[in-house]
């Protein structure tokens, strides 16, 4: 049977993953699920692991659920390795958000200074996992969810050399659902094409008759009305995009584009949260404690509704879906972070892009996108250059490159403040940055 290993098994999202496997039990001949964590997350692993066992039992399945802190042994003969770890846990995310904001600069877990620091902490760990996989499970697929998912996936493929890597995110799933709702057409009758990089992608949509419906979705969501524009994500404030700009783009932006296209309003809102002591990580810490209180209940054997308070809801579903699709050669259409290889002609061949395509038993086959219009091409090239610089800095512990990435990142103002934030964050996170 299949052996699926999850690194960061103590995550509060684990019940979603288990639910996803249970739903797909006919497609997934699982024999063992291994949840791996570290000492700092052991209490979480124990609680959520017991919950996972109850869920499997309640479903009448005989899957073995193993909990361990020994990553290397856990990886032995794995078929799929999924990653959902957070180096430094939520306390590190609090710093990623609050330090930049204390300088009046956007602080966010996957964007700006916070996103770059999450990459600095995470990339050495993903490369360490790959080192273990080389000896323990050389044929396994690596399904990465760990943020910043685009940079982590690029590091795994390009620098770790692990070609059998797929990177996933729940944002495209939400956008598909929202477009289907706005057009009042079932999602399965629409054709979507996404392209860009993780948390910085755009998409277009067509109907069964072959008509492009992108403009209608743009109008339905972004045309000014008395109501707020919707952000389907729990973690992103509903700042408004300029309707005129989105019309000119002729593509739908993703939720995270708000940090760039509506930077002033997002910053204002973030500073308000900062002043109240309620940045996203601080709010999520409370949600997380409530979730773990629920998970402790020995009677609870299903995913509680409360988990939908997390921004990543549906994300584990994507992980289970891609595993089922690879395992059974389902050719399922998905949006995946993958090696570019010319899919987006504006970006290097060896970088990661997040694009639509089909999942086969030999991996992800992206649909060709070609080139972007100038207003998207310029920013995506600059964002990718920033990401490549961050990845190099993360691997080499290179201060000069880290500063260079800070200066290039559009959410960090250049000059003195960039260096001040960098230095303060390097110090605050030093326990998780041995390479610097
Ligand atoms: P979390 O804070 O609960 O962390 C998950 C677990 O990782 C913790 O139990 C922690 O102890 C463990 N961990 C930390 N360092 C580790 C290491 N070196 N090896 C193994 N385990 C380690 O995090 P969460 O909120 O559940 O999110 C988990 C990760 O998934 C984050 O990186 C988050 O950004 C990401 N995420 C991504 C998406 C997506 O769309 N791609 C959606 C949701 C979450
Ligand atoms: C979205 C993103 C994820 C991110 C999550 C944060 O779903 O796609 O990449 O991890 O939001 O949610 P949280 O509840 O942790 O703020
Ligand atoms: Mn994501």
């Amino acid at each position: 049977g299949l052996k699926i290993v999850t690194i960061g098994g103590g995550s509060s999202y684990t019940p979603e993953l288990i639910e996803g496997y249970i739903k797909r039990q006919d497609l997934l001949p699982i024999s063992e699920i291994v949840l791996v964590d570290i000492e700092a997350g052991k209490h979480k692993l124990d609680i959520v692991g017991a919950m996972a066992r109850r869920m499997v039992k309640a479903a009448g399945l005989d899957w073995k659920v193993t909990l361990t802190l020994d990553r290397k042994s856990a990886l032995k003969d794995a078929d799929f390795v999924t990653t959902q770890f957070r180096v430094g846990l939520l306390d590190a995310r609090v710093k990623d958000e609050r330090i930049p904001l204390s300088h009046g600069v956007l602080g966010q877990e996957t964007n700006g200074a916070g996103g770059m620091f999450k990459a600095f902490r995470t990339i050495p760990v993903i490369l360490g996992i790959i080192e273990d996989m080389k000896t323990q499970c050389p044929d396994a697929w690596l399904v990465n969810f760990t943020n910043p998912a685009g940079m982590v996936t690029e590091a795994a493929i390009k620098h770790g050399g692990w070609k059998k890597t797929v990177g996933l995110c729940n944002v495209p799933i939400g956008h598909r659902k929202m477009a289907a709702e706005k057009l009042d057409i079932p999602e399965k009758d629409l054709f979507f094409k996404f392209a860009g990089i993780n948390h910085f992608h755009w998409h277009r949509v067509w109907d069964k008759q072959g008509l492009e419906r992108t403009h209608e979705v743009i109008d339905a969501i972004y045309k000014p009305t008395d109501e707020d524009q919707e952000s389907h994500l729990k973690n992103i404030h509903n700042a408004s995009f300029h309707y005129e700009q989105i019309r000119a783009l002729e593509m739908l932006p993703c939720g995270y584009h708000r940090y760039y296209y509506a930077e002033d309003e997002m910053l204002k809102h973030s500073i308000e949260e900062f002043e109240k002591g309620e940045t996203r990580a601080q709010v999520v810490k409370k949600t997380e404690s409530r979730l773990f209180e629920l998970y402790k209940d020995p009677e609870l054997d299903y995913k509680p509704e409360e988990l939908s308070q997390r921004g990543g809801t549906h994300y584990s579903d994507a992980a289970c879906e891609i595993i089922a699709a690879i395992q059974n050669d389902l050719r399922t259409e998905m949006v995946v972070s993958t090696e570019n290889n010319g899919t987006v002609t504006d970006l290097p061949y060896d970088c990661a892009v997040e694009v639509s395509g089909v999942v086969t038993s030999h991996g992800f086959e992206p649909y060709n996108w070609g080139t972007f219009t100038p207003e998207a091409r310029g920013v995506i090239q600059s964002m990718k250059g920033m990401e490549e610089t961050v990845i190099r800095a993360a691997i080499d512990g290179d201060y000069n490159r880290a500063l260079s990435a800070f200066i290039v990142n559009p959410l960090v103002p250049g000059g003195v403040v960039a260096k001040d934030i960098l230095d303060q964050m390097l110090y605050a996170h030093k326990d998780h940055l041995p390479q610097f």
Side-chain angles (χ1 to χ4, degrees):
L2 286 179
K3 177 173 175 181
I4 307 180
V5 178
T6 295
I7 315 283
S11 162
S12 61
Y13 287 111
T14 294
E16 224 188 68
L17 209 51
I18 304 295
E19 185 190 71
Y21 297 142
I22 293 172
K23 262 199 267 176
R24 293 170 184 78
Q25 54 185 279
D26 295 339
L27 293 168
L28 297 172
I30 294 175
S31 55
E32 187 180 8
I33 296 169
V34 188
L35 304 176
V36 183
D37 215 286
I38 52 167
E39 191 55 46
K42 185 173 184 301
H43 59 292
K44 290 174 60 186
L45 178 68
D46 287 341
I47 296 167
V48 83
M51 163 96 183
R53 285 186 175 137
R54 292 194 297 275
M55 290 176 74
V56 168
K57 195 168 164 221
L61 295 158
D62 61 357
W63 303 343
K64 187 173 168 203
V65 179
T66 307
L67 317 181
T68 180
L69 305 186
D70 181 353
R71 180 176 86 198
K72 192 154 186 185
S73 310
L75 288 169
K76 185 83 197 134
D77 300 329
D79 298 291
F80 291 92
V81 178
T82 78
T83 53
Q84 52 176 34
F85 59 92
R86 185 190 296 283
V87 179
L89 293 130
L90 283 167
D91 287 332
R93 178 171 172 191
V94 172
K95 295 176 189 171
D96 284 344
E97 293 172 351
R98 294 193 62 89
I99 295 174
L101 284 167
S102 74
H103 293 266
V105 170
L106 261 168
Q108 210 278 328
E109 76 162 338
T110 64
N111 291 271
M116 292 187 282
F117 262 80
K118 192 160 167 30
F120 294 159
R121 296 192 299 278
T122 309
I123 286 168
V125 177
I126 197 80
L127 296 178
I129 293 170
I130 290 172
E131 277 313 302
D132 286 351
M133 288 175 71
K134 284 180 183 162
T135 58
Q136 301 298 83
C137 53
D139 292 324
W141 284 94
L142 177 57
V143 180
N144 178 63
F145 260 103
T146 303
N147 274 320
M151 287 191 263
V152 172
T153 299
E154 179 165 323
I157 298 173
K158 182 172 157 187
H159 301 278
W162 204 268
K163 297 288 178 188
K164 289 171 87 170
T165 305
V166 283
L168 293 177
C169 175
N170 65 334
V171 169
I173 302 176
H175 282 297
R176 290 177 60 113
K177 288 189 196 304
M178 202 201 281
E181 210 178 279
K182 295 294 172 194
L183 293 171
D184 198 18
I185 296 175
E187 204 183 310
K188 65 166 178 40
D189 292 341
L190 292 170
F191 184 90
F192 291 87
K193 215 163 154 185
F194 285 76
I197 59 179
N198 181 239
H199 291 185
F200 204 92
H201 50 69
W202 300 268
H203 59 286
R204 297 172 61 186
V205 52
W206 291 262
D207 66 17
K208 268 185 127 166
Q209 287 68 43
L211 287 176
E212 179 160 12
R213 307 292 290 264
T214 310
H215 283 308
E216 279 163 71
V217 183
I218 290 174
D219 283 0
I221 306 176
Y222 302 118
K223 202 169 183 168
T225 61
D226 294 340
E227 285 165 46
D228 284 346
Q229 291 180 7
E230 281 172 72
S231 153
H232 62 82
L233 292 164
K234 287 271 190 295
N235 56 318
I236 302 182
H237 169 63
N238 277 339
S240 294
F241 289 109
H242 290 302
Y243 170 64
E244 300 87 339
Q245 178 216 352
I246 306 303
R247 280 302 300 233
L249 258 177
E250 303 188 311
M251 299 183 289
L252 282 142
C254 81
Y256 281 86
H257 274 116
R258 287 190 168 76
Y259 290 105
Y260 302 84
Y261 295 168
E263 190 182 343
D264 52 1
E265 191 183 335
M266 293 302 282
L267 178 60
K268 188 167 158 277
H269 181 79
S270 302
I271 286 178
E272 283 163 19
E273 290 178 337
F274 170 80
E275 284 166 353
K276 286 187 281 188
E278 284 176 12
T279 66
R280 182 66 189 168
Q282 293 175 296
V283 172
V284 164
K285 276 186 85 161
K286 291 183 194 144
T287 311
E288 188 188 64
S289 346
R290 281 199 302 277
L291 280 170
F292 276 87
E293 281 311 309
L294 293 174
Y295 295 168
K296 278 181 194 162
D297 178 355
E299 303 288 310
L300 187 72
D301 56 14
Y302 56 90
K303 180 186 83 179
E305 173 51 33
E306 181 106 19
L307 188 52
S308 63
Q309 291 305 308
R310 292 297 302 276
T313 184
H314 296 306
Y315 99 98
S316 325
D317 228 28
C320 301
E321 192 62 33
I322 206 162
I323 292 174
I326 293 172
Q327 178 67 20
N328 300 284
D329 195 28
L330 296 180
R331 325 263 168 114
T332 311
E333 202 173 271
M334 289 186 77
V335 180
V336 170
S337 275
T338 189
E339 192 171 34
N340 183 19
N341 275 329
T343 303
V344 177
T345 49
D346 306 312
L347 295 176
Y349 268 63
D350 61 358
C351 78
V353 289
E354 192 163 301
V355 289
S356 296
V358 288
V359 183
T360 75
S361 55
H362 65 272
F364 187 64
E365 288 285 359
Y367 299 142
N368 181 60
W369 177 270
T371 185
F372 278 109
T373 51
E375 55 267 68
R377 186 180 68 224
V379 285
I380 194 122
Q381 288 180 335
S382 150
M383 288 290 285
K384 180 50 77 181
M386 177 275 295
E387 288 195 350
E388 293 179 84
T389 311
V390 167
I391 296 167
R392 277 257 59 111
I395 296 172
D396 301 338
D398 182 338
Y399 179 88
N400 298 1
R401 275 221 176 87
L403 181 58
S404 191
F406 259 57
I407 305 273
V408 171
N409 193 304
L411 297 185
V412 182
V416 176
V417 72
K419 193 167 192 299
D420 283 350
I421 297 174
L422 175 66
D423 291 346
Q424 196 180 336
M425 290 180 85
L426 278 171
Y427 183 75
H429 287 298
K430 64 179 179 345
D431 292 348
H432 297 112
L433 296 172
Q435 76 276 38
F436 277 96

